[in-house]
Amino acid sequence: RELSCKEQLQSISMEWMSQICQYVVRDLEKYGICVVDNFMGKERAEAIHRSVVSMYDSGVFVEGETVSSSLETTKKVRSDKITWVDGSESNCTNIAVLISTIDTIIMNAIRMKGNGQLGQRTIGGRTKAMIACYPGSGSHYVKHVDNPNRDGRCITTTYYANKDWDAKTVGGLLRIFPQGWANQVVDIEPILDRMVFFWSDRRNPHEVQPAFRTRYAITVWYFDAKEREEARIRHRECALKKNKANE
Ligand SMILES: O=C(O)CCC(=O)Nc1cc2ccccc2cn1
Ligand SMILES: [Mn+2]
C-alpha cells in the first residue's frame, strides 16, 4: 500500500531536517538566497518528475499571463504554462509531500531563530503550489521581481523536477541579480531535486533564460503575516473606493 503523506514525512529524518533549516536560515539572512540539492531524495524526485509530466500531458496547464508592454505589441514576457495544486489532486501525493516538507523547513527555520522571525519576517501562510512548464524551443521569463509592491509574499521557494538537465546545451538557467552584490549574478541550473529559497522582494530580481527542452518548476510563496494583512486592507480600501466611484 502506498505510504500516506504523513507516514512519508515521518520517514524523513529529523536530523536531515534540522541541517537543512540551518542552511536556509544562514543563507537567507546572509545572501538572501539558499540552494539545497537532493532535497527530496532521488526516488521521490523521480516520482515528482513523473507526476508533473503526466499532469502536463493531461492538458491541465494553462498559459502564464502575458503582460502587454504597450497596446500594439503584446510582447511575450513569459512563455511558461502553469497549473496550481494543493497536493490533494489525483497523482499529486508526491507533490503533497514536497509541499509539507517545504512547510516544515520554513516553520522550523523560524522556530530555530527563536524570535519567531526569519529575516525580521513573521511567516503567516502561503500560496498553493504553482507548477510551471517551459515547453522548450526558447521559452523563457524576462527579468522581474516576484513581489515589487508589498503584496505580502516574502519567500519564494522553487523546486526543480528536470531529469539530466544540462544548461550548457539546453539553457533554462534561473539567473538572479541580487541587489547590493554590485554586478554579481547567481546562475542556478534547474536540475532534478534542487530546491531554491530566496526573498521575493526587490532584493532578488531574476529571469529564466531561454530553455530548449521542457523545463518543470514547482513554486510556493510564503507570506509575511503583517505585509499580507496590510495588502488585504489596501486591497479592500481600493475596492470600496471603486464601488463608491461606480455608484
Ligand atoms: O522557474 C524558475 O526558475 C523561476 C521562474 C519564475 O520566476 N516564475 C515566476 C512565476 C510567476 C507567476 C505569477 C506571478 C509572478 C511570478 C513570478 N515568477
Ligand atoms: Mn519569479
Side-chain angles (χ1 to χ4, degrees):
R1 127 188 119 74
E2 191 180 62
L3 289 179
S4 77
C5 178
K6 193 167 173 308
E7 289 162 338
Q8 291 196 44
L9 263 184
Q10 270 145 3
S11 72
I12 297 172
S13 77
M14 291 321 288
E15 174 48 34
W16 172 88
M17 196 65 89
S18 69
Q19 281 292 324
I20 302 291
C21 291
Q22 284 164 35
Y23 295 146
V24 170
V25 170
R26 181 197 63 193
D27 291 0
L28 269 186
E29 304 227 321
K30 203 167 163 194
Y31 309 111
I33 302 167
C34 176
V35 180
V36 178
D37 281 337
N38 309 311
F39 188 67
M40 297 301 283
K42 190 167 169 25
E43 193 182 316
R44 206 172 272 124
E46 295 193 341
I48 291 173
H49 170 76
R50 285 193 299 275
S51 299
V52 296
V53 170
S54 71
M55 284 173 75
Y56 187 69
D57 294 345
S58 69
V60 293
F61 283 59
V62 294
E63 291 273 311
E65 80 273 7
T66 53
V67 179
S68 63
S69 52
S70 60
L71 286 188
E72 56 278 2
T73 62
T74 55
K75 190 164 62 75
K76 267 270 192 201
V77 291
R78 60 187 283 204
S79 39
D80 55 338
K81 295 185 189 313
I82 60 172
T83 187
W84 290 89
V85 299
D86 60 17
S88 64
E89 295 82 355
S90 66
N91 195 356
C92 281
T93 310
N94 291 296
I95 294 172
V97 176
L98 169 67
I99 297 170
S100 309
T101 307
I102 306 172
D103 278 348
T104 310
I105 298 276
I106 296 289
M107 291 310 140
N108 285 345
I110 291 163
R111 243 196 297 281
M112 192 169 281
K113 280 295 296 162
N115 61 0
Q117 301 212 324
L118 187 55
Q120 287 76 46
R121 307 297 205 120
T122 304
I123 304 295
R126 60 164 167 81
T127 66
K128 290 166 66 167
M130 182 191 76
I131 310 177
C133 173
Y134 291 75
S137 63
S139 47
H140 65 290
Y141 200 138
V142 295
K143 188 174 173 182
H144 65 280
V145 169
D146 282 1
N147 173 14
N149 307 313
R150 297 181 62 77
D151 66 19
R153 287 178 294 169
C154 77
I155 303 179
T156 302
T157 69
T158 298
Y159 178 80
Y160 296 111
N162 304 301
K163 285 180 75 171
D164 312 321
W165 190 273
D166 173 17
K168 281 180 290 303
T169 51
V170 295
L173 281 178
L174 167 67
R175 172 165 286 180
I176 307 182
F177 305 77
Q179 202 185 47
W181 279 24
N183 50 7
Q184 292 270 313
V185 294
V186 176
D187 282 348
I188 297 168
E189 289 206 41
I191 62 170
L192 188 75
D193 209 14
R194 171 166 285 176
M195 188 79 220
V196 183
F197 302 81
F198 58 89
W199 298 125
S200 310
D201 59 23
R202 293 167 186 268
R203 283 172 280 185
N204 288 315
H206 55 281
E207 66 187 11
V208 174
Q209 300 194 332
F212 295 93
R213 220 191 95 197
T214 309
R215 178 189 187 277
Y216 294 100
I218 303 171
T219 296
V220 178
W221 282 278
Y222 286 82
F223 292 120
D224 168 274
K226 205 163 64 64
E227 184 178 314
R228 184 71 179 152
E229 191 41 39
E230 289 160 0
R232 275 216 183 91
I233 293 167
R234 274 202 316 276
H235 188 77
R236 228 191 338 264
E237 279 165 356
C238 84
L240 285 174
K241 277 196 201 101
K242 241 185 241 138
N243 293 351
K244 281 221 173 356
N246 296 344
E247 266 164 19

